[in-house]
Amino acid sequence: MTGREEEWRFTPLRRLAGLHDATFTPGGRITRTLHAPEGVTGGVVSMDDPRVGAVLTPFDRISAQARSAATEAYAVVIPAAAVLTEPIRLTVTGEGGRDAAAFGHTLIEVGAHAEATLILDHRGTVTYADNVEVNIGDNASLRLVTIQDWDGDTVHAAHQRIRLGRDARLRHAAVTLGGSLVRLFTTVEYAERGGDAELLGVYFADAGQHLEHRLVADHTVPDCRSRVEYRGALQGADAHAVWVGDVIIRAAATGTDTYELNRNLILTDGARADSIPNLEIETGEVVGAGHASATGRFDDEQLFYLQSRGIPAEEARRLVVRAFFATLLQKIGDATISDPLMAAIETRLAKGPA
Amino acid sequence: MATLEIRDLHVSVGAGEEEKAILKGVDLTVSSGQTHAIMGPNGSGKSTLAYSIAGHPRYTVTRGSVTLDGEDVLSMTVDERARAGLFLAMQYPVEVPGVSVSNFLRSAATALRGEAPKIRTWVKEVKAEMTALGIDPAFSERNVNEGFSGGEKKRHEILQLSLLKPAIAILDETDSGLDVDALRAVAEGVNRAAESGELGVLLITHYTRILQYIRPDFVHVFVAGRIAEEGGPELADRLEAEGYERYLQPTS
């Protein structure tokens, strides 16, 4: 790996704390806390468990490193037909500091016809690489919110792969706010027809932060749907956001309906957003396939305009940023999840560029 | 009764060797109930006057004073000036992506009134003003100035004037780039806002056309960063006939 590979060309390798070339310093730890309604089980399983590797085969250097270094996996199982009214919260807390590496492996099994919300909440300070395998059974529905609100020094290279069974529904929401470098690679695959995946993302990059989101929606079977919408705000010197969205529609995947969108709002000078949507189509018999990307600035003229109507400067910024994120956060569909996220974004905004 | 007093105002742009003086001693008093027209050729500093009063950071006041009812306007931030009662309808209103017109208007009204307007009366108020200005109700859900035509932008500025009810409104070339229908709608909007007799208007224009719809009490001719001549509405008629040439002749 040199950093010139297409997949790595935006990632500052020297800031990966050795995750990519095995020069990392071991000694980091992560602890997991599970809050789950009755019927849901969570616990450690062996890396020899047949479910390990059933959905996610390591697909890059760091994914492979995480797989080989993880000593155990943690499995959350939602039984078939369970309809949960309360969210499951799996909190992953990193310890050991910036230069201490830890590796993780997580399995999430959603039984057929089940309906659940799972919040995967990452906090603390650590250097962490992990693989998350999600298997959604036939006609099941999962809302998966993955929050990366690490402390300042954390490096996190995450790989999440979700398989949707027949008529399964996924609403995936990635929220990346904290950490020095966060690189989240999310892949969706469809085992059978009728899968419906919505992939939402919100990020806020401050000075010096590198927040990278890569997505693949791999349409291999007919009549599945994918929707991607990521929105990010950036402020401060060397705040860097990367979004790469790949949608592949294979020859067999007729009737596919897909659309992906990324929008960035640059709040101050010195921040940079890279946004690359890719669409690869091998069949013309689709319902829809499109993408869009736009990066806009919040500039002094906007601030002047809003202020000239009596709106104080700080309120003016909040107005613009709130509007930018509000519609997306609403799509998460649960105010108990989205309201704290909006509050977290506003706190960051109020703090101003570091 | 409000009074805006501008005394010996000098304004420049740029800094150091790039510094360029634009306003060179402007004296002007605008009170509630009065309509003043400032007319002048392009580049005479009319817009600089407007933006300096509103507090745009591009302009530096190097001498003189601006007061509103005795309060020092120049020491106020941009939003404080608005809350003190000043309003600037801009020549080129700025796009604010992601913020809807309705959200924007409500935020501005909340900031100016010190409390959020009551939702039911507010919606009614906005609707009535929009209808009067010939603005489609669907406009409320669009983002501020984003994709607006020239006429829509200017109507939107006057909509804000009607709703925000300032003491003194500065209209910076609100008439430029408008067709006759839009010009009439905008002018009628200004006249309605001024009807109460509580609004002072400083109307900046390059053309005399809008003065057929908004009758000024005073006309000031602006040349090379200062007021070259003042008079009543008859001065506008004379400018219509003669143009600005005679002010531009070198005096020898």
Side-chain angles (χ1 to χ4, degrees):
Chain A
M1 241 168 88
T2 63
R4 285 195 292 273
E5 297 83 356
E6 177 57 35
E7 277 183 23
W8 293 100
R9 67 186 177 106
F10 294 113
T11 316
L13 298 185
R14 61 188 167 74
R15 285 173 57 190
L16 281 169
L19 287 175
H20 65 296
D21 61 1
T23 59
F24 59 86
T25 311
R29 288 181 313 280
I30 56 145
T31 55
R32 295 185 176 89
T33 319
L34 181 72
H35 289 283
E38 208 161 318
V40 175
T41 57
V44 169
V45 300
S46 153
M47 288 299 282
D48 297 329
D49 189 290
R51 291 171 296 183
V52 172
V55 173
L56 190 156
T57 304
F59 55 91
D60 66 24
R61 182 74 176 81
I62 298 181
S63 174
Q65 175 69 64
R67 171 69 184 271
S68 67
T71 53
E72 57 186 30
Y74 190 89
V76 178
V77 178
I78 299 149
V83 176
L84 307 180
T85 49
E86 292 292 306
I88 304 163
R89 186 178 282 270
L90 179 59
T91 304
V92 176
T93 305
E95 290 160 36
R98 175 175 70 165
D99 295 320
F103 300 91
H105 200 102
T106 307
L107 304 168
I108 298 165
E109 295 278 326
V110 185
H113 308 290
E115 290 176 25
T117 295
L118 192 151
I119 301 165
L120 184 56
D121 197 351
H122 300 92
R123 299 172 178 275
T125 307
V126 70
T127 287
Y128 186 48
D130 70 329
N131 293 301
V132 176
E133 307 187 52
V134 184
N135 202 350
I136 308 177
D138 290 350
N139 199 41
S141 170
L142 176 68
R143 177 160 52 194
L144 175 58
V145 182
T146 176
I147 300 171
Q148 291 67 240
D149 197 7
W150 299 100
D151 292 335
D153 289 339
T154 290
V155 173
H156 184 198
H159 310 80
Q160 300 186 354
R161 188 171 177 110
I162 302 112
R163 177 184 292 159
L164 281 80
R166 188 179 185 98
D167 299 322
R169 294 163 314 276
L170 167 71
R171 181 165 291 184
H172 185 272
V175 180
T176 306
L177 301 174
S180 165
L181 185 154
V182 177
R183 188 178 191 274
L184 173 59
F185 201 126
T186 305
T187 308
V188 168
E189 64 170 57
Y190 302 87
E192 302 221 38
R193 289 178 186 231
D196 185 349
E198 194 161 65
L199 303 160
L200 308 172
V202 167
Y203 48 90
F204 196 123
D206 258 324
Q209 275 187 298
H210 176 95
L211 306 182
E212 179 167 347
H213 296 90
R214 289 178 171 263
L215 296 120
V216 176
D218 192 358
H219 288 270
T220 51
V221 297
D223 304 325
C224 291
R225 180 177 177 273
S226 58
R227 284 286 179 280
V228 178
E229 184 176 349
Y230 270 61
R231 286 175 178 252
L234 298 88
Q235 69 180 3
D238 299 318
H240 191 194
V242 178
W243 179 87
V244 180
D246 291 338
V247 173
I248 308 158
I249 305 174
R250 314 269 179 190
T254 55
T256 293
D257 180 6
T258 179
Y259 193 82
E260 51 174 354
L261 167 71
N262 176 226
R263 284 201 55 195
N264 290 292
L265 180 63
I266 295 187
L267 297 168
T268 66
D269 285 338
R272 173 177 157 180
D274 289 292
S275 176
I276 302 177
N278 292 309
L279 186 55
E280 199 179 313
I281 309 184
E282 293 170 10
T283 173
E285 294 171 56
V286 297
V287 173
H291 59 68
S293 162
T295 296
R297 294 182 55 89
F298 180 63
D299 63 20
D300 293 343
E301 294 301 326
Q302 288 175 358
L303 191 62
F304 174 73
Y305 188 71
L306 295 169
Q307 275 190 279
S308 79
R309 300 312 184 235
I311 302 169
E314 199 174 305
E315 170 72 19
R317 280 177 174 275
R318 196 156 51 223
L319 195 65
V320 169
V321 174
R322 177 176 262 279
F324 181 73
F325 286 120
T327 48
L328 182 62
L329 287 173
Q330 278 160 13
K331 285 185 186 171
I332 293 176
D334 183 341
T336 63
I337 297 170
S338 56
D339 288 354
L341 295 176
M342 182 60 96
I345 288 168
E346 291 193 350
T347 305
R348 291 284 293 277
L349 189 67
K351 207 180 65 185
Chain B
M1 176 76 189
T3 302
L4 178 72
E5 283 194 64
I6 300 162
R7 290 288 165 265
D8 192 30
L9 189 67
H10 288 66
V11 171
S12 59
V13 290
E17 288 182 16
E18 301 285 296
E19 185 174 327
K20 187 169 176 251
I22 299 185
L23 298 189
K24 297 163 185 168
V26 178
D27 290 287
L28 186 65
T29 304
V30 181
S31 295
S32 310
Q34 299 176 345
T35 297
H36 293 249
I38 291 198
M39 308 192 61
N42 287 328
S44 59
K46 304 186 302 291
S47 286
T48 298
L49 177 64
Y51 279 89
S52 302
I53 297 168
H56 194 286
R58 186 170 124 84
Y59 302 98
T60 311
V61 174
T62 53
R63 207 161 101 195
S65 67
V66 178
T67 59
L68 182 63
D69 296 332
E71 296 286 324
D72 180 12
V73 169
L74 298 178
S75 67
M76 300 178 191
T77 60
V78 175
D79 49 298
E80 284 169 350
R81 295 177 195 209
R83 292 199 297 276
L86 294 175
F87 179 86
L88 170 62
M90 296 186 201
Q91 187 179 0
Y92 303 109
V94 182
E95 292 184 5
V96 191
V99 177
S100 69
V101 167
S102 68
N103 189 10
F104 167 65
L105 293 174
R106 199 171 153 75
S107 298
T110 302
L112 290 171
R113 298 175 188 187
E115 58 175 358
K118 292 215 168 49
I119 194 89
R120 200 182 315 153
T121 52
W122 173 249
V123 169
K124 215 184 274 179
E125 208 180 324
V126 173
K127 233 178 223 165
E129 293 297 346
M130 286 176 82
T131 308
L133 282 162
I135 297 172
D136 185 331
F139 207 77
S140 298
E141 296 318 310
R142 290 173 65 184
N143 291 331
V144 172
N145 293 319
E146 200 176 52
F148 286 18
S149 69
E152 285 172 334
K153 283 184 180 169
K154 297 302 173 68
R155 284 176 209 239
H156 181 231
E157 293 293 287
I158 302 307
L159 174 65
Q160 294 167 53
L161 168 66
S162 317
L163 292 167
L164 302 179
K165 300 190 180 7
I168 305 288
I170 303 162
L171 312 180
D172 185 21
E173 304 210 13
T174 297
D175 54 331
S176 61
L178 295 185
D179 60 34
V180 162
D181 284 347
L183 178 68
R184 193 176 293 140
V186 158
E188 284 169 1
V190 174
N191 289 335
R192 267 197 312 280
E195 225 166 42
S196 65
E198 285 166 17
L199 176 68
V201 176
L202 185 56
L203 179 74
I204 294 174
T205 180
H206 180 71
Y207 308 104
T208 53
R209 193 177 56 154
I210 194 171
L211 303 181
Q212 296 166 18
Y213 303 98
I214 300 175
R215 202 63 186 157
D217 303 303
F218 306 93
V219 173
H220 311 266
V221 182
F222 215 73
V223 179
R226 59 202 309 174
I227 291 169
E229 191 174 1
E230 295 177 299
E234 74 289 344
L235 183 53
D237 299 333
R238 192 169 165 202
L239 286 170
E240 171 75 19
E242 297 176 7
Y244 296 113
E245 278 74 13
R246 72 191 166 94
Y247 299 103
L248 301 174
Q249 309 270 319
T251 48
S252 55

